[in-house]
Structures are given as structure tokens and as C-alpha cells.
Amino acid sequence: MGGRRPQRADARTNRERILNVAEEVFGKGGQSASTEEVARLANVGIATVFRHFPTKAALLEAVLVQRFDRLREQAETLFHAPDPGAAFFDFFSHLVADAAGKIAIAEALFEAGGDHDGDAAQASDGLRRAVGALLQHAQRVGAVRDDVELPEVYALLVATSRASARAHLEEEVRDRMLTIIFDGLAPLRNARAQLKT
Amino acid sequence: MGGRRPQRADARTNRERILNVAEEVFGKGGQSASTEEVARLANVGIATVFRHFPTKAALLEAVLVQRFDRLREQAETLFHAPDPGAAFFDFFSHLVADAAGKIAIAEALFEAGGDHDGDAAQASDGLRRAVGALLQHAQRVGAVRDDVELPEVYALLVATSRASARAHLEEEVRDRMLTIIFDGLAPLRNARAQLKT
DNA sequence: CGCTATCCGAAGTCGCGACTCCGTATACTC
DNA sequence: GAGTATACGGAGTCGCGACTTCGGATAGCG
């Protein structure tokens, strides 16, 4: 008994292609993009999609887990960067730029902050933790104000990601937006506090 | 001929009730909330909704126009406030706080920035212009850096509004997020260098 | 090269939500 | 208070998209 044959080669490649196509399709059209379009662009029947991913939600979740994990790994790579300040700001910029045109990802990143459980929420949490570590390192070297905490920083990260996810936001405007936020995160604000009195 | 009777009283009140209920329903559930729910909560048949607003999109647009116009009026009220700096920041905060739980409005505010035309886009544009005026006034009195422009400020406004539109964002975190942005918008970035007088 | 478990695609089913039809009810006119 | 245009509600229709079924193909083992 138990003589289970291994997965067939074509099944494996199909699953992978579906996942990649789904990332693009959901990225461009959001969660409301149709499963049929994913199948068509992957040169695959609709049934094949559902065979590999029992529901549309499962497919979306698989896409998200893949993406979140990838981002988390990138963040972890920067844990031991020589300049933690640059590491933090670079990762912030990179994530926001990366979100351009990735509607579903940005949305999910956003909602996963909440109550939903499941693999995607778990992966999202891992990313959040990694960002938290980057933030702490940056604060330790004085590149970021000590009095800011992860929740508001992450909220800003998510908000700007979502903002650049949809069209109509030129790269230049996005950068100027980030400049403002980065200025707000920088320390030495108290120069003004003394003035204000 | 031409003896068109005026609109009946019950029709007028129904239209108004539908519009108000729709604002709440779309606010809470986003654009994907069903027309049938609007009808039910308004104590009205589905047909009545469609009689007043030919399509769901038209209903949504009516809601948005109402909301955008109201916000624009509030902004215009502040044009001649004694303290243009406070006026700008207060309006920013107010709009973001107001967006809490108003999913559809924040989303639409966002997308209306783009190519869509129609009444909603026009109303959205009016709001944007009003914010631009507040910004200029604030800059004129030195409450906001001179080198920021409307596009990035508006993008930040929209992004934070969207962020607080959905659940999972406590009021405190929202305020801390705004503090960071406001600090980034404040002038005197080089004050610590020259300790401005 | 034949056998079979595995995998595939096309053509369905099914439910949901936007929108319509029509007989009934109600506000307004005289 | 009778007549009529206007408005109403509920029971439809219709299309779309998630998911299933099943006969046919194909990989991989011997």
C-alpha cells in the first residue's frame, strides 16, 4: 500500500506557470480579476487552475504568500547591512516602488493586517516583523527618530504602497511623497520645538 | 402639452433617504455592497432605487458628488481663517479622520484622480483645487515648506485617507502617522544647521 | 510498446447581483 | 372625493464568474 506515484512533471510546471500568471493578473486587475483570464494567459484549462488551487481565494493566497515571503527575505538580507539607516529607507522605497501596478498585493498587504488568519496573514506578519527589525536598527544608529513605533511606520508603508499600486501616480510624485515622509521620520525635529515654545 | 406636474413629495423624500443610506452602505462595504441592501435599509423596493438612479454607478456617483462637494465647502470655509497653517493641518486631519469607515469614498477619491470623467471626477477636482488653495495659504505664512507641491500633498492625503478607511487602524496610530507627515511638511529642515532666528 | 494512474480541457451547473415589467397604491388637482 | 399622472414593490430576466463533471490524452514504469 502507499505506492503513491510522485507528481507528474507537467503538473508541476503547470502549477508554477499558473502561479506566476496569477501574480501578474491579480497585480494588474486586483482581486476581481477572473480565474478564467488566469487560465487563458497560462495556456491552461480552467479546470486545471481549480485542480491545483481548490478555490480562487486559495490561488490568491498562494500568490500573496509567495510575494510576502520574497519581500521578507529581501528585508532580512538587509539586517546586517553596513548602514542600517540606508537599509531601512531603501527597503521602504523599494517596497513602495515595487507595489506600483500590484493592486491585489498592496490591498492584501493592507487587509492582512487585520483579523484574517491563514497562510497569507502569517506571511504578512513575517514581513511586518522584518520591517520592525529594520526600523529598530535604523533607530539604534540615529537615522530615525526614537519616538516613532512600528504601527505608524507600517501604516505609512502600506498607505504609500497602496497609493502607488493604482495608476495615475507618476514616479516623480511618488518620490516627492516619500521625501516628505522620510523627512518626518528623520530625527532632530526638536530644533523646532525650542523655537515654537 | 408641457403641463409637466412637479415631482411628488414622497419621491423626493425617498430619493433623499436612498442617497443617505447609500452613503452609509457604500461607506461600510465599499463599492461591492449590493443595491438590494441599500433598498432594504431605506425601506424601499429595489425598483425605486433604480427609478431614481438609473444604474448602480449613477447612485455611487451621486453619493460621491454629495460628499466631495461637502468637503470642498468645508475647505473653502477655511480660506479666510486667521491662521492658514492651522487651517491646512486641521483640514488634513479632519478629512483623514472623516474617511474612517468610508471605504467607497476614499477609494473613489483615489481613483477619481485619474482619467474617469463625469460629475464625480469634476467634484473631486473641485476638492483638490480647494486643498491646493489651503496649501498655498499655509505656505505663504511659512507653515509649510515652500518646496512641496500639491500633487504629492494630495497623494499623501488620499493615501492616509484610504489607510484609515478600512478597519484595523486605531485612532492613536492614525494620529502618530499624521504627526510624521506633518513634521515632514513643516519647514525649518535646516534650522538645526543655522538655528534660525 | 503497452498499461494505468495521473492529468488535462471543454462544456456544463449554479448562485448572485444588476436591472426590468407590470399590477397596485398614493399624492396631487379640481 | 373622483380622476389621473406619478410613484411604488415584488417577482421576474439575464449575464457573469466561480466551481464541477467526464471523456480523452499523456507521462512514466515495466
Side-chain angles (χ1 to χ4, degrees), chain A residues 135-159:
Chain A
L135 173 63
Q136 282 194 350
H137 294 167
Q139 286 176 319
R140 202 161 294 148
V141 299
V144 172
R145 290 164 54 162
D146 274 329
D147 61 343
V148 304
E149 288 170 25
L150 182 56
E152 56 266 27
V153 171
Y154 202 73
L156 279 170
L157 184 57
V158 170

Side-chain angles (χ1 to χ4, degrees), chain B residues 75-147:
Chain B
E76 286 170 353
T77 298
L78 296 171
F79 277 3
H80 305 294
D83 182 347
F88 171 77
F89 289 116
D90 282 353
F91 184 72
F92 199 122
S93 306
H94 173 264
L95 201 153
V96 172
D98 196 66
K102 310 277 174 61
I103 299 180
I105 282 85
E107 298 289 321
L109 208 171
F110 188 57
E111 311 196 356
D115 40 19
H116 296 296
D117 41 20
D119 293 342
Q122 203 174 328
S124 163
D125 225 55
L127 174 58
R128 185 191 174 97
R129 253 192 285 275
V131 171
L134 283 181
L135 173 64
Q136 281 194 351
H137 294 167
Q139 285 176 319
R140 200 160 295 147
V141 300
V144 171
R145 291 164 53 162
D146 274 329
D147 61 343

Side-chain angles (χ1 to χ4, degrees), chain A residues 1-196:
Chain A
M1 53 192 149
R4 300 283 307 267
R5 281 194 185 177
Q7 190 180 43
R8 250 166 61 174
D10 54 347
R12 261 176 57 80
T13 63
N14 271 338
R15 185 182 198 281
E16 212 160 312
R17 202 165 60 254
I18 289 169
L19 204 52
N20 289 333
V21 169
E23 177 164 357
E24 179 161 349
V25 170
F26 287 139
K28 187 154 46 171
Q31 323 186 4
S32 62
S34 73
T35 313
E36 184 260 341
E37 192 183 355
V38 174
R40 187 160 34 81
L41 294 184
N43 283 320
V44 146
I46 309 139
T48 301
V49 176
F50 282 98
R51 197 168 302 114
H52 287 291
F53 306 95
T55 67
K56 178 184 179 174
L59 172 58
L60 184 58
E61 180 154 62
V63 169
L64 296 174
V65 168
Q66 174 176 281
R67 184 135 209 100
F68 289 158
D69 280 352
R70 213 181 291 159
L71 289 169
R72 178 181 48 74
E73 282 164 20
Q74 287 180 19
E76 286 169 355
T77 298
L78 295 172
F79 277 3
H80 305 294
D83 183 348
F88 171 77
F89 289 116
D90 283 354
F91 184 72
F92 199 121
S93 305
H94 173 264
L95 201 152
V96 172
D98 195 67
K102 311 278 173 59
I103 299 180
I105 282 85
E107 299 288 321
L109 208 171
F110 187 58
E111 310 196 354
D115 41 17
H116 296 295
D117 42 19
D119 293 342
Q122 203 174 327
S124 163
D125 225 56
L127 175 58
R128 186 192 174 96
R129 253 191 285 275
V131 172
L134 283 181
L135 173 63
Q136 282 194 350
H137 294 167
Q139 286 176 319
R140 202 161 294 148
V141 299
V144 172
R145 290 164 54 162
D146 274 329
D147 61 343
V148 304
E149 288 170 25
L150 182 56
E152 56 266 27
V153 171
Y154 202 73
L156 279 170
L157 184 57
V158 170
T160 45
S161 293
R162 267 161 55 89
S164 54
R166 306 244 186 178
H168 324 317
L169 190 65
E170 293 160 30
E171 197 174 328
E172 196 192 338
V173 175
R174 190 182 69 211
D175 289 344
R176 296 166 69 90
M177 190 171 74
L178 286 180
T179 299
I180 294 172
I181 291 176
F182 290 174
D183 264 21
L185 287 173
L188 306 179
R189 241 11 199 131
N190 39 19
R192 188 179 50 128
Q194 296 170 358
L195 271 169
K196 204 167 186 180

